[in-house]
């Protein structure tokens, strides 16, 4: 009875609620950022409602007022078939974009211990009252200024961030699930008994989980989701092949990836393909460990990742001081106040070095191939030792002249100024290690439909090579859901003109130019970046 079934019903409900604080449209069967939209006016409500319908087909949809200045805190609960319910501390999942978690951490230190204990007990009573059996998550919105908290939902499953709970409680969650399924009471499980400070973990004696306290938590864990998204474009999902993933677990950081080298992520998959967990005696120690681990990760392939951006988020004053809320990251994305870049001169020089190396390798291979065919022409050799190339970046063209001084030493000249570059190619990675200007830089690049994707010292830069104002292009691979304007209609810069389904999400693509739009593909067609 509380759900809306049509756009008209949604508009009627929204008018009753009021748009002053904003309205959330949510599919009850959604999750993970899918099937949820925010609107603050009637003009946007219809499109947002349809997007939610298309993302979670057949799900009931309800509207509610947005709770501002909120933290997303959750309690990990487990219920058994004997009527017991235990709360295994909880997690703070307030760092979100598009209502999907980016960082998860525990314990949730933003809430006073007494307040969080009340939240745990409320979650336990709920679990018992509904007869819930198994692991689940009771989610709350918490206002750090007032100390008030509000029930959000009970998520009836083991969530992907459950290793945070394992890291702070030493309770193996999948193993606990299996023991619950076997009918074993919670108070008889050795890890649960150990958490509650019981000396003999093998004795079968009751524990009153609503009254007794578990031992103090002495570890902090912060988790980071590794996703195939482009942070430069508002976290748009990306898809494609993966050539290499390099990550090494340590005593303080562990993680997993759902794909490996020579794998890939297709356009119908979830964007998350990895998860890292860092622990420390304090939140700050865990944060520093996670920063170091993210700086060591290398993911190469056709996809974009959020790894570099996550490092910048962890280094912000707000995250360090734990003053964030659920709207914090979306605000940063909107204002573009956090970004990852390299100095323009380093970007241009690195692109020139990469292209010069590739040119030499291509011409050398052509000469070798002609020799293999018995052709003895050496005309192409001159193009190896001396040639010109042009790099375009930020609306400026840079004409370089290249001289090959030896096999791995290049001289680059721009506007009469020259500098020498000594190259080394890593055997296992195929990355260029370039030494010039008294510094050493790691360079890797890949040509894409929209230009060169360059990686310099782990920072990714897209250098567009194609610009045709008569075409609207996107690097998103997915399926066209619907056009938002008729063919022949006028569109303005920044105006959404089409909706595309990619990585299980419905997203609008905005026009990069003003003009009349012509539909060249029909709804349901697949577009490839």
């Amino acid at each position: 009875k509380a759900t809306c079934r049509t756009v008209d019903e949604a508009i009627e409900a929204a008018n009753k609620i009021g748009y002053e604080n904003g309205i959330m449209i949510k599919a009850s069967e959604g999750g993970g950022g899918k099937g949820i939209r925010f609107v603050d006016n009637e003009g946007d409500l219809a499109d947002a409602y349809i997007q939610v319908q298309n993302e979670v087909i057949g799900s009931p949809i309800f509207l509610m007022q947005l709770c501002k200045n909120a933290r997303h805190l959750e309690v990990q609960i487990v219920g058994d078939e004997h009527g017991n319910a235990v709360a295994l501390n909880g997690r703070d999942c307030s760092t979100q974009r598009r209502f999907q978690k980016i960082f998860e951490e525990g314990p949730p230190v933003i809430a006073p211990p007494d307040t969080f204990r009340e939240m745990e007990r409320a979650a336990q009573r709920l679990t018992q009252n509904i007869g819930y059996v198994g692991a689940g998550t009771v989610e709350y919105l918490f206002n750090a200024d007032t100390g008030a908290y509000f029930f959000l939902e009970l998520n009836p499953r083991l969530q992907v961030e459950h290793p945070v709970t394992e890291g702070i409680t030493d309770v193996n969650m999948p193993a606990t699930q299996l023991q619950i399924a076997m009918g074993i009471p919670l108070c008889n499980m050795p890890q649960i008994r150990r958490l509650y400070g019981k000396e003999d973990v093998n004795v079968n004696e009751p524990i009153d989980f609503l009254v007794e306290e578990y031992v103090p938590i002495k570890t902090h864990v912060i988790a980071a989701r590794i996703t195939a998204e482009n942070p430069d474009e508002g976290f748009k999902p990306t898809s494609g092949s993966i050539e290499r993933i390099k990550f090494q677990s340590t005593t303080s950081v562990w993680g997993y990836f759902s794909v490996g080298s020579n794998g890939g992520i297709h356009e119908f998959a979830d964007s998350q393909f990895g998860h890292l967990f860092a622990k420390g005696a304090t939140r700050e120690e865990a944060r520093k460990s996670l920063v170091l681990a993210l700086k060591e990760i290398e993911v190469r392939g056709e996809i974009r990742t959020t790894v570099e951006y996550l490092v910048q988020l962890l280094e912000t004053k707000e995250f360090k001081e734990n003053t964030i809320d659920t709207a914090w990251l979306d605000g940063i994305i909107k204002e573009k106040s956090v970004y990852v870049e390299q100095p323009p001169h380093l970007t241009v020089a690195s692109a020139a070095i990469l292209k010069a190396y590739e040119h030499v390798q291509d011409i050398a291979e052509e000469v070798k191939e002609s020799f293999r065919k018995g052709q003895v022409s050496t005309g192409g050799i001159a193009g190896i030792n001396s040639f010109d190339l042009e790099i375009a970046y930020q609306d400026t063209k840079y004409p370089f002249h290249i001289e090959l001084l030896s096999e791995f030493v290049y001289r680059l000249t721009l506007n009469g100024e020259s500098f020498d570059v000594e190259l080394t190619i890593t055997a296992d990675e195929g990355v260029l290690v370039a030494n010039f200007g008294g510094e050493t830089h790691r360079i890797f690049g890949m040509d894409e439909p929209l230009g060169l994707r360059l990686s310099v010292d782990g920072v990714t830069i897209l250098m567009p090579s194609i610009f045709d104002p008569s075409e609207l292009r996107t690097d998103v691979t997915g399926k066209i859901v619907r056009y938002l304007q008729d063919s022949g209609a006028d569109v303005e810069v920044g105006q959404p003109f089409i909706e595309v389904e990619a990585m299980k999400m419905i997203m609008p693509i905005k026009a990069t130019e003003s003009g009349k739009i012509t539909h060249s593909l029909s709804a349901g067609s697949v577009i490839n970046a």
Side-chain angles (χ1 to χ4, degrees):
K1 293 181 180 180
T3 60
C4 299
R5 298 166 185 79
T6 66
V7 171
D8 290 338
E9 287 185 9
I11 291 174
E12 182 181 352
N15 288 330
K16 291 180 182 178
I17 297 170
Y19 291 97
E20 292 77 12
N21 292 317
I23 289 175
M24 302 303 303
I25 308 169
K26 191 176 191 306
S28 63
E29 296 174 7
K34 186 173 70 170
I36 185 170
R37 292 293 187 278
F38 165 79
V39 295
D40 57 9
N41 63 83
E42 187 174 316
D44 293 338
L45 190 144
D47 282 341
Y49 185 88
I50 292 171
Q51 289 173 8
V52 171
Q53 276 187 320
N54 289 333
E55 282 185 356
V56 191
I57 297 172
S59 171
I61 297 173
F62 56 90
L63 274 66
M64 63 179 127
Q65 187 181 75
L66 175 69
C67 180
K68 292 186 175 180
N69 304 317
R71 301 287 290 248
H72 182 143
L73 306 188
E74 50 191 42
V75 174
Q76 177 70 65
I77 55 95
V78 183
D80 66 22
E81 63 184 47
H82 307 284
N84 302 305
V86 65
L88 302 177
N89 202 264
R91 300 178 289 265
D92 185 340
C93 306
S94 300
T95 307
Q96 305 176 4
R97 86 281 180 269
R98 296 197 308 268
F99 312 107
Q100 189 171 13
K101 302 165 186 174
I102 291 291
F103 296 133
E104 305 101 346
E105 58 179 291
V109 293
I110 190 64
D114 290 345
T115 301
F116 193 72
R117 188 65 185 116
E118 291 177 12
M119 297 165 71
E120 288 181 305
R121 289 193 178 101
Q124 290 172 269
R125 289 193 296 269
L126 172 65
T127 304
Q128 291 177 316
N129 288 341
I130 65 175
Y132 182 80
V133 176
T137 303
V138 175
E139 303 188 5
Y140 295 96
L141 293 178
F142 173 76
N143 188 309
D145 294 330
T146 65
Y149 59 90
F150 309 91
F151 172 75
L152 190 61
E153 64 180 351
L154 192 162
N155 203 325
R157 60 184 172 85
L158 197 59
Q159 292 189 281
V160 70
E161 63 267 25
H162 73 266
V164 172
T165 296
E166 294 180 329
I168 62 177
T169 65
D170 287 330
V171 175
N172 185 311
M173 294 306 301
T176 301
Q177 279 275 59
L178 290 172
Q179 291 174 84
I180 291 293
M182 294 165 64
I184 299 174
L186 282 163
C187 59
N188 291 354
M189 298 180 189
Q191 289 183 333
I192 299 293
R193 296 189 62 80
R194 188 175 293 112
L195 178 64
Y196 275 79
K198 304 302 180 182
E199 293 183 5
D200 191 342
V201 298
N202 296 312
V203 171
N204 297 334
E205 63 180 27
I207 300 175
D208 189 338
F209 294 112
L210 282 170
V211 175
E212 297 189 46
E213 304 285 347
Y214 49 71
V215 298
I217 302 296
K218 297 181 179 180
T219 302
H220 198 95
V221 175
I222 304 179
R225 299 190 182 200
I226 310 301
T227 58
E229 296 174 323
N230 184 354
D232 298 334
E233 296 292 335
F235 285 77
K236 281 183 182 176
T238 64
S239 58
S241 63
I242 295 176
E243 293 182 7
R244 175 183 174 85
I245 295 178
K246 185 181 76 172
F247 169 71
Q248 184 65 49
S249 293
T250 67
T251 54
S252 59
V253 181
W254 68 99
Y256 66 85
F257 292 87
S258 59
V259 294
S261 299
N262 300 316
I265 299 175
H266 57 76
E267 61 269 27
F268 304 109
D270 189 274
S271 62
Q272 183 181 351
F273 67 97
H275 217 158
L276 260 60
F277 303 84
K279 68 177 181 180
T282 64
R283 182 177 188 269
E284 179 61 10
E285 284 186 19
R287 186 194 67 83
K288 289 179 178 178
S289 294
L290 185 56
V291 167
L292 291 175
L294 288 168
K295 287 183 176 180
E296 292 296 319
I297 287 181
E298 183 178 356
V299 180
R300 280 173 34 196
E302 295 175 342
I303 64 168
R304 285 292 305 273
T305 75
T306 55
V307 171
E308 305 143 19
Y309 194 86
L310 298 183
V311 172
Q312 300 301 313
L313 289 179
L314 289 168
E315 296 283 21
T316 59
K317 179 174 180 286
E318 294 85 356
F319 191 88
K320 288 180 180 180
E321 296 179 355
N322 202 17
T323 58
I324 63 175
D325 60 25
T326 54
W328 173 66
L329 180 52
D330 282 330
I332 285 176
I333 295 170
K334 183 178 180 179
E335 297 171 4
K336 297 187 176 180
S337 58
V338 171
Y339 51 88
V340 183
E341 64 177 4
Q342 292 284 20
H345 69 274
L346 177 58
T347 299
V348 171
S350 298
I353 291 166
L354 175 67
K355 287 300 181 183
Y357 174 77
E358 290 179 344
H359 172 85
V360 170
Q361 298 305 304
D362 291 344
I363 299 298
E365 182 57 33
E366 290 177 7
V367 172
K368 292 176 184 178
E369 182 62 23
S370 68
F371 286 168
R372 284 192 286 266
K373 293 179 179 179
Q375 301 169 354
V376 294
S377 172
T378 59
I381 295 179
I384 295 177
N385 295 325
S386 179
F387 55 93
D388 296 322
L389 63 82
E390 186 176 81
I391 300 296
Y393 185 57
Q394 295 181 343
D395 300 325
T396 303
K397 293 182 178 180
Y398 299 88
F400 283 90
H401 179 70
I402 315 296
E403 294 179 78
L404 187 62
L405 304 183
S406 66
E407 184 178 4
F408 295 111
V409 179
Y410 293 65
R411 175 166 292 164
L412 280 69
T413 302
L414 176 66
N415 296 331
E417 298 290 333
S418 300
F419 62 96
D420 292 348
V421 181
E422 184 176 345
L423 292 180
T424 304
I425 296 85
T426 59
D428 58 335
E429 302 169 315
V431 173
L432 290 181
V433 179
N435 193 313
F436 61 97
E439 298 178 344
T440 300
H441 301 281
R442 290 169 58 88
I443 303 170
F444 174 78
M446 177 177 292
D447 288 311
E448 297 182 345
L450 298 184
L452 171 66
R453 178 149 57 91
L454 183 70
S455 175
V456 181
D457 298 331
V459 175
T460 301
I461 308 104
L462 180 62
M463 305 182 71
S465 59
I466 300 173
F467 177 71
D468 183 346
S470 70
E471 295 180 341
L472 297 178
R473 290 174 169 261
T474 179
D475 57 356
V476 174
T477 298
K479 183 178 68 175
I480 296 175
V481 176
R482 61 176 181 141
Y483 286 96
L484 302 179
Q485 279 82 28
D486 294 333
S487 188
D490 291 327
V491 293
E492 300 294 330
V493 172
Q495 180 182 3
F497 69 94
I498 193 173
E499 287 180 356
V500 175
E501 180 183 0
M503 301 291 198
K504 302 181 181 179
M505 301 283 287
I506 305 294
M507 65 182 63
I509 305 297
K510 297 179 180 180
T512 53
E513 297 289 333
S514 296
K516 291 185 182 296
I517 186 171
T518 301
H519 299 175
S520 57
L521 294 171
S522 60
S525 299
V526 174
I527 56 174
N528 294 299

